[in-house]
Amino acid sequence: MAIGLGLAVSSVAWGANTDGSIIGRTKAGATVTVRDPGTGLTRTVTADADGNFRFPFLPVGHYRLDSSKNGKPVSTTTEVNVSLGNATTVNLVERGSTGTTELEGVQVSAPVVINAVDVSSTEIATNVSREEIRRLPVDQNVQSVALLAPGVNKGNAGFGGISFGGSSVAENSFYVNGLNVTDFYNRNGFSEAPFAFYQEFQVKTGGYSVEFGRTTGGVVNAVTRSGTNEFKAGAEMTFEPSAWQATTKNRYWNGDRYITSSEDHYSRTKMNVYASGPIVKDKLFFFAMYEARGYTPQNTDNQGTVLTQNDTDSGFWGAKIDWHINDKNLLEFMAFSDKDTNEGSVYAYDYPTHTKGSKSDVITSDTGGKNWNGTFTSYLVDNFSMKLMYGRNERESYTHGLADAECNPVSIDDNQDAPDVPLGCSTSTAVEKRNDIRKQGRADFEWTLGDHLIRFGYDHEVDTSDYDRHYPGPGEYFYGIVHADPGATIENGGVVPPGYDMYVRQRRYNIGGTFETTNNAYYVEDNWNITPDFLLNVGLRSDSFDNKTGEGKSYIKVDNMIAPRLGFSWDLNGDGRTKIFGNLGRYYLPVANVINIKQAGGLLDERTFYTFEGYDIRDRNGSQYAVPILGQQIGAVDTSQGNGTVGDLRAEVDKHMDPVYQDEAILGFQQMITDKWSWGVSGTYRKLHDAIDDMEISATPQCGGDGYIGYVMGNPGRNVTVYGDTNCDGTPDGYLTIDTSKEGFALKDAEGNYLGQRGWKKPRRTFGSLEFQVDRAWDEKWMFNASYVLSWSRGNAEGPVNSDTNFDDTGRTENFDDPWVNLSGGYLPNDHRHQFKLRGTYAISKQWQVGADVTALSGSPITAYGVGNPYDGTSYHSYFICVENCADPVSENRVYEESSRGAKRTAWTFNVNASITYLLPLDEKNNLRVKFAVYNLLNQQRTTGVDQDLQTSIGSFSDTYLQPIRFQPPRFGQLTVSLDF
């Protein structure tokens, strides 16, 4: 049988977010039948007058395809794989009397149709199946799968995450079986199931369809495993003992140890068991899994005076039910629970003698929750299909400790001045409880009309956060000890007195309430085959976001966000082997729930500053600890970030706020070289427009410096309309508009004298890349994939989080608190100029396979941050360094130099993962697989992030500027043993 890998049809192809499709051409009027031999699912359609046929909404899997006319076969049976989000194209045309398959003159011997170049697609995506992952050294989490795709990298901040195409880590979306499981509180994270629960992943890095939205980064789309007519069961055990881990390096600065990590290690054991099969043959199927987990990490604090030993032993359960009501109607139900509990026992510790003291606390963290959805698919008629879905996603986060009532957290910015006993008697920095519940419903439709495939649908979400947070300890205070030179101006405008080189910031932080956000979207799309070889994709999506207060009133509401998409794909030779494609699109980003909570929830953020008078050494349960002795207060109490009350939101939220959106342009080329080899090149340009963030509006055009309004959520650099004082009598009496590109911030000298106004620069972020990729498909002997991305990410705003200053309150960063924080443009934190990725598997024999996954990544930008500026007396994060007269109380006499964003870079990082797998077929159904993988084989522990604060107060240079603070994790080994029967 000759099988082709091409497309030359007048039908159009598209896969939905939980399945795929088969399209092609055969004899006009022929009957085409597709059948899943595993489940018996059978569908039959009649080819149109041009011979085109289409099977939409097919579950991911393996199918057999037949075509006949007048009772006579047009072709032999063809084996077809349907992958997630893609269309597999098979042209069935009779040739002579043999009835073999002919694909536009291109014939290749292969057991199954492979869709290496999908000329119906205008997006950039990477598909990775469960079987491919089992052959590769890929760590067992979704993030590791996403990182296989070109242009996807780890975030450059302590709060983790992944970055797609230069975007921040808080701009992505994650789906499981069509259910959105993205963290909507901060948009950094997602609900996750074990690796063995998934069947296939699709990582979308650009150009995705209008059915996907609420993201200006990327999309990770996954489907879970399902049952078939064959009873199957299995078990998989994963071992990561601490003995297989390299020692994490301690870090030294100026001869002093400032990070103690050589005692950090963990042991991890997981065992999952699964069973699947028919409940009713050809009708009702199940898949069920349970995973028991043992995870016992331990770590010391940076000083080596506190040891925390953790224990996590929660289990995962998940299930999938598929009901084939008949060949036209399918019903499926998916549910899983990723609830997890970790208990951390805290001990005093003496690193020089490696001695553990008495237990001082137990910190408990509860995370995760139950997730489920139901999906109904109906093939109403041959050319019209429908998919309905409703689901619920839960995420809990609850952190609390036994010492919460007694112990305040304490930190210091330079460990060389830390005492020999622990700072504070609590390692917990928050008593935090959050329950996030998403209720989601959507409807998707496909309607084929001649050369047009019309897709349309509706997507609705209600996202509710129940939140409470405060610091532990008496008074709910966090004490931060900071170094500064005498005479230095600190962040509240106070001045460090003579004789002091350290001060203490006492911070009280309290917030709580229940907050809801409603997201709605409509979309419509036309995929039009203008000619048999040229596809035009035209789509339109309309989004609306409604973020509400604790009382249920609209807080930030934006409607009618129109997102057009325009794409094309040109099959150059009409054989489905070579294509040029392009895409223009607009994508909108919703406002995270953390914004509702922080501004519309009565946030108290009280900061009081004192001179540092040394340490008070105290005793608790036989263990000593230190707390700072507070001296005289420096400056006024600062409650500018929140005074504990919900103010007049008319004065705190722009009445006519514009949404955050990104425009994207893609142009690419793909070509099949042989039946196994393909290559491609693409260029991507992205431009982020606007930001929604808080600005301190301290002046108005009507009242100048007497028109103080406060922190306002709006679009920096654009008009802001808020309720305020219009006649300058000190009483708010109406709405006024401030052009924040020119005005809104009161310039004042160090004595508080008004000097005039200044505006903000508009936020800017542009990303450009060239991506090259070559792929060799698996043929039971070997596979290979290599990619290189050359990229630039530039501007003055990373996105809704700040990686360079480790600020993860999404959309409420310090980036626009005053005009100087984002004044400088340059290379942004997620800019990596060069990215090389290679992965492959080679079968030494039928029993032995070796695999490798290699990444080489150029460094990320480093900025020398200062405080203060040459325009007024403000002391806050900026891109200016005071170089002369810095202690002068007259701010106009100080001399500053501008510090360019991203003027330095961290070094390249290299990561090599390797694996060897032993396969043993025990009999026809029973198979044993043993894989040993080593991650970071070369044990590279290079620096991935540094301290970027050159000055921490005006005129005070930091001794820890460029001090490494984040690193590659050390080498570790992982043994996976699985038995399928």
Side-chain angles (χ1 to χ4, degrees):
M1 179 175 64
I3 307 283
L5 311 177
L7 169 67
V9 296
S10 59
S11 175
V12 290
W14 207 270
N17 65 347
T18 63
D19 42 47
S21 59
I22 298 176
I23 67 167
R25 188 173 63 225
T26 185
K27 274 192 172 183
T31 298
V32 187
T33 301
V34 65
R35 183 177 183 274
D36 181 345
T39 65
L41 174 65
T42 303
R43 286 208 59 216
T44 300
V45 298
T46 301
D48 65 16
D50 295 320
N52 301 314
F53 65 89
R54 174 179 177 81
F55 294 99
F57 292 151
L58 287 176
V60 171
H62 182 81
Y63 293 85
R64 291 173 180 164
L65 192 66
D66 291 285
S67 177
S68 63
K69 187 173 183 180
N70 299 325
K72 296 181 179 180
V74 173
S75 67
T76 58
T77 299
T78 303
E79 305 282 326
V80 184
N81 279 336
V82 172
S83 61
L84 178 60
N86 292 324
T88 304
T89 304
V90 187
N91 294 339
L92 306 172
V93 182
E94 182 181 19
R95 187 182 65 184
S97 59
T98 62
T100 58
T101 305
E102 178 183 43
L103 299 182
E104 301 299 307
V106 178
Q107 298 188 45
V108 185
S109 297
V112 180
V113 170
I114 302 170
N115 209 46
V117 175
D118 182 0
V119 297
S120 69
S121 174
T122 63
E123 69 179 9
I124 298 178
T126 299
N127 280 65
V128 186
S129 69
R130 175 173 176 265
E131 288 306 313
E132 181 177 354
I133 292 170
R134 298 178 84 183
R135 293 191 296 264
L136 291 168
V138 179
D139 199 11
Q140 297 178 358
N141 55 71
V142 173
Q143 175 175 291
S144 295
V145 176
L147 291 173
L148 295 175
V152 182
N153 298 297
K154 291 182 179 179
N156 287 318
F159 45 85
I162 49 180
S163 168
F164 288 74
S167 63
S168 77
V169 299
E171 301 174 51
N172 309 316
S173 290
F174 300 84
Y175 294 85
V176 178
N177 284 16
L179 178 66
N180 188 355
V181 295
T182 313
D183 169 26
F184 56 77
Y185 168 74
N186 243 358
R187 292 196 58 83
N188 183 19
F190 50 94
S191 302
E192 186 170 358
F195 240 34
F197 192 60
Y198 297 110
Q199 176 63 33
E200 188 170 348
F201 300 87
Q202 186 179 56
V203 184
K204 298 175 182 287
T205 53
Y208 32 88
S209 156
V210 287
E211 76 177 282
F212 292 96
R214 305 184 189 121
T215 169
T216 46
V219 174
V220 179
N221 190 25
V223 291
T224 63
R225 295 164 69 183
S226 299
T228 67
N229 277 324
E230 182 181 2
F231 280 106
K232 295 181 180 179
E236 182 174 272
M237 292 161 284
T238 301
F239 305 94
E240 293 178 28
S242 59
W244 294 353
Q245 298 160 30
T247 300
T248 308
K249 296 177 182 178
N250 292 330
R251 301 293 170 166
Y252 295 83
W253 188 254
N254 295 330
D256 296 311
R257 174 171 38 86
Y258 69 97
I259 294 180
T260 306
S261 52
S262 59
E263 304 287 284
D264 298 355
H265 59 77
Y266 69 89
S267 291
R268 189 197 308 270
T269 304
K270 297 186 293 184
M271 179 174 178
N272 69 66
V273 292
Y274 79 89
S276 67
I279 301 173
V280 178
K281 187 177 180 181
D282 290 341
K283 287 291 184 181
L284 191 60
F285 311 91
F286 78 95
F287 175 87
M289 172 179 287
Y290 178 78
E291 180 173 274
R293 303 165 175 171
Y295 180 48
T296 55
Q298 78 163 31
N299 60 276
T300 58
D301 66 343
N302 286 340
Q303 293 80 28
T305 58
V306 177
L307 175 71
T308 303
Q309 293 181 325
N310 298 276
D311 186 12
T312 302
D313 59 1
S314 303
F316 165 92
W317 62 261
K320 175 90 182 302
I321 300 292
D322 292 273
W323 181 18
H324 297 176
I325 303 170
N326 52 45
D327 288 340
K328 288 186 175 292
N329 297 284
L330 311 178
L331 183 63
E332 59 183 276
F333 178 80
M334 179 271 296
F336 69 87
S337 171
D338 63 347
K339 288 181 68 68
D340 200 13
T341 298
N342 180 82
E343 287 192 354
S345 298
V346 183
Y347 302 87
Y349 191 70
D350 183 67
Y351 175 76
T353 62
H354 305 288
T355 303
K356 184 172 72 173
S358 59
K359 183 187 293 187
S360 61
D361 200 1
V362 176
I363 299 172
T364 303
S365 298
D366 298 313
T367 58
K370 297 177 182 177
N371 306 271
W372 61 267
N373 75 332
T375 304
F376 175 66
T377 303
S378 182
Y379 312 110
L380 300 171
V381 292
D382 280 0
N383 66 344
F384 189 73
S385 301
M386 172 183 71
K387 183 179 287 258
L388 307 176
M389 190 277 288
Y390 180 79
R392 181 181 172 107
N393 164 230
E394 296 180 3
R395 287 173 61 87
E396 179 187 24
S397 178
Y398 183 25
T399 302
H400 54 100
L402 296 181
D404 286 346
E406 303 174 59
C407 296
N408 300 101
V410 181
S411 69
I412 190 169
D413 66 340
D414 188 346
N415 292 331
Q416 66 182 359
D417 289 319
D420 294 329
V421 298
L423 284 171
C425 54
S426 173
T427 57
S428 174
T429 57
V431 181
E432 183 177 26
K433 186 173 185 178
R434 188 179 86 242
N435 283 289
D436 295 332
I437 298 176
R438 169 190 280 110
K439 298 177 182 178
Q440 180 189 2
R442 65 178 298 145
D444 299 280
F445 302 88
E446 284 198 8
W447 189 11
T448 303
L449 295 172
D451 293 332
H452 298 264
L453 171 65
I454 311 297
R455 304 175 66 249
F456 58 95
Y458 172 67
D459 181 8
H460 174 78
E461 287 186 7
V462 178
D463 303 337
T464 304
S465 294
D466 187 1
Y467 187 80
D468 180 77
R469 176 182 172 181
H470 59 83
Y471 289 127
E476 300 176 354
Y477 293 129
F478 189 130
Y479 297 100
I481 304 168
V482 183
H483 288 74
D485 294 334
T489 302
I490 61 178
E491 62 186 81
N492 70 334
V495 177
V496 179
Y500 292 91
D501 60 2
M502 289 191 285
Y503 66 90
V504 181
R505 184 180 75 172
Q506 174 189 275
R507 186 180 183 189
R508 187 181 177 201
Y509 187 100
N510 202 313
I511 186 69
T514 301
F515 305 85
E516 181 182 287
T517 295
T518 301
N519 300 323
N520 292 292
Y522 301 86
Y523 74 88
V524 62
E525 179 182 76
D526 181 11
N527 297 274
W528 178 22
N529 266 110
I530 298 176
T531 71
D533 304 326
F534 192 89
L535 168 70
L536 184 67
N537 171 266
V538 181
L540 200 66
R541 179 183 175 96
S542 176
D543 272 294
S544 65
F545 310 140
D546 188 1
N547 292 61
K548 300 176 182 178
T549 67
E551 290 76 36
K553 299 178 181 178
S554 291
Y555 162 60
I556 297 176
K557 185 175 183 179
V558 186
D559 293 319
N560 301 319
M561 289 173 280
I562 305 301
R565 313 276 170 89
L566 177 64
F568 77 92
S569 179
W570 179 19
D571 181 3
L572 287 177
N573 300 317
D575 59 5
R577 300 177 64 90
T578 305
K579 77 169 182 177
I580 295 176
F581 67 99
N583 195 290
L584 296 173
R586 176 164 291 182
Y587 305 85
Y588 286 91
L589 188 68
V591 177
N593 272 25
V594 65
I595 302 303
N596 313 33
I597 295 168
K598 294 297 177 68
Q599 191 169 35
L603 168 66
L604 173 65
D605 191 350
E606 177 187 274
R607 310 177 193 201
T608 309
F609 300 83
Y610 300 93
T611 58
F612 174 70
E613 302 290 349
Y615 292 105
D616 179 14
I617 306 299
R618 300 178 183 177
D619 184 272
R620 179 176 180 269
N621 298 333
S623 297
Q624 291 186 321
Y625 68 96
V627 295
I629 300 173
L630 307 182
Q632 62 179 318
Q633 184 173 322
I634 306 173
V637 176
D638 181 7
T639 58
S640 60
Q641 299 292 319
N643 64 5
T645 64
V646 179
D648 185 349
L649 293 179
R650 297 177 301 171
E652 298 182 9
V653 181
D654 178 15
K655 186 179 182 181
H656 305 299
M657 192 181 305
D658 290 327
V660 178
Y661 66 96
Q662 180 170 266
D663 288 329
E664 179 185 71
I666 295 172
L667 184 63
F669 172 85
Q670 284 183 304
Q671 184 180 44
M672 288 289 297
I673 303 171
T674 68
D675 61 330
K676 298 181 181 69
W677 285 92
S678 62
W679 76 283
V681 59
S682 63
T684 299
Y685 177 79
R686 288 177 159 188
K687 184 174 182 179
L688 185 71
H689 300 269
D690 286 323
I692 293 177
D693 216 312
D694 58 335
M695 301 168 282
E696 186 180 21
I697 304 297
S698 52
T700 64
Q702 292 85 354
C703 306
D706 295 325
Y708 185 86
I709 293 176
Y711 280 86
V712 172
M713 292 298 299
N715 304 121
R718 294 191 179 274
N719 286 348
V720 169
T721 301
V722 289
Y723 197 79
D725 184 1
T726 63
N727 57 17
C728 308
D729 63 358
T731 302
D733 57 354
Y735 281 97
L736 49 92
T737 298
I738 303 119
D739 182 355
T740 64
S741 68
K742 302 176 181 177
E743 57 202 3
F745 188 81
L747 300 172
K748 294 183 179 180
D749 61 21
E751 290 75 36
N753 300 309
Y754 179 65
L755 305 176
Q757 297 186 52
R758 172 119 182 174
W760 283 257
K761 279 194 173 182
K762 292 180 180 178
R764 307 186 312 278
R765 186 184 78 196
T766 60
F767 172 80
S769 72
L770 284 174
E771 175 186 314
F772 302 86
Q773 187 168 188
V774 61
D775 186 84
R776 203 262 187 193
W778 174 250
D779 62 353
E780 306 301 324
K781 184 63 178 178
W782 68 291
M783 62 79 61
F784 175 76
N785 180 277
S787 67
Y788 166 67
V789 177
L790 174 68
S791 64
W792 296 263
S793 181
R794 290 176 281 211
N796 65 354
E798 175 189 358
V801 296
N802 284 2
S803 295
D804 38 19
T805 57
N806 220 41
F807 205 106
D808 67 340
D809 271 355
T810 301
R812 198 174 186 270
T813 69
E814 60 181 10
N815 221 19
F816 304 96
D817 287 359
D818 68 40
W820 329 120
V821 184
N822 78 322
L823 190 65
S824 177
Y827 295 111
L828 297 171
N830 294 299
D831 176 75
H832 295 277
R833 187 72 65 250
H834 306 283
Q835 305 166 45
F836 294 90
K837 295 184 180 182
L838 302 93
R839 66 180 187 270
T841 304
Y842 179 75
I844 301 172
S845 66
K846 290 184 177 181
Q847 282 73 44
W848 292 97
Q849 296 176 357
V850 291
D853 176 30
V854 180
T855 300
L857 188 65
S858 62
S860 59
I862 300 172
T863 299
Y865 285 106
V867 290
N869 65 85
Y871 306 103
D872 74 350
T874 303
S875 175
Y876 200 63
H877 242 131
S878 75
Y879 292 86
F880 294 97
I881 305 299
C882 185
V883 294
E884 292 182 27
N885 305 329
C886 302
D888 196 315
V890 180
S891 58
E892 294 93 320
N893 294 334
R894 300 169 187 162
V895 179
Y896 290 87
E897 289 182 356
E898 185 172 356
S899 177
S900 299
R901 183 190 283 267
K904 300 178 183 292
R905 285 186 180 266
T906 60
W908 279 69
T909 57
F910 304 91
N911 194 71
V912 178
N913 303 328
S915 65
I916 183 167
T917 303
Y918 175 66
L919 302 169
L920 179 62
L922 301 178
D923 53 37
E924 290 185 359
K925 294 185 178 181
N926 301 334
N927 294 284
L928 175 69
R929 177 187 296 263
V930 181
K931 181 171 79 172
F932 180 69
V934 179
Y935 299 92
N936 192 2
L937 178 66
L938 304 180
N939 196 28
Q940 297 275 308
Q941 298 186 41
R942 295 194 177 193
T943 297
T944 58
V946 301
D947 183 348
Q948 301 187 52
D949 288 327
L950 179 57
Q951 286 188 339
T952 54
S953 55
I954 296 174
S956 177
F957 285 85
S958 172
D959 292 332
T960 59
Y961 171 63
L962 296 182
Q963 184 184 78
I965 56 177
R966 289 185 295 276
F967 313 92
Q968 291 176 270
R971 177 178 56 229
F972 70 96
Q974 181 185 82
L975 177 67
T976 304
V977 180
S978 58
L979 178 64
D980 298 293
F981 52 88

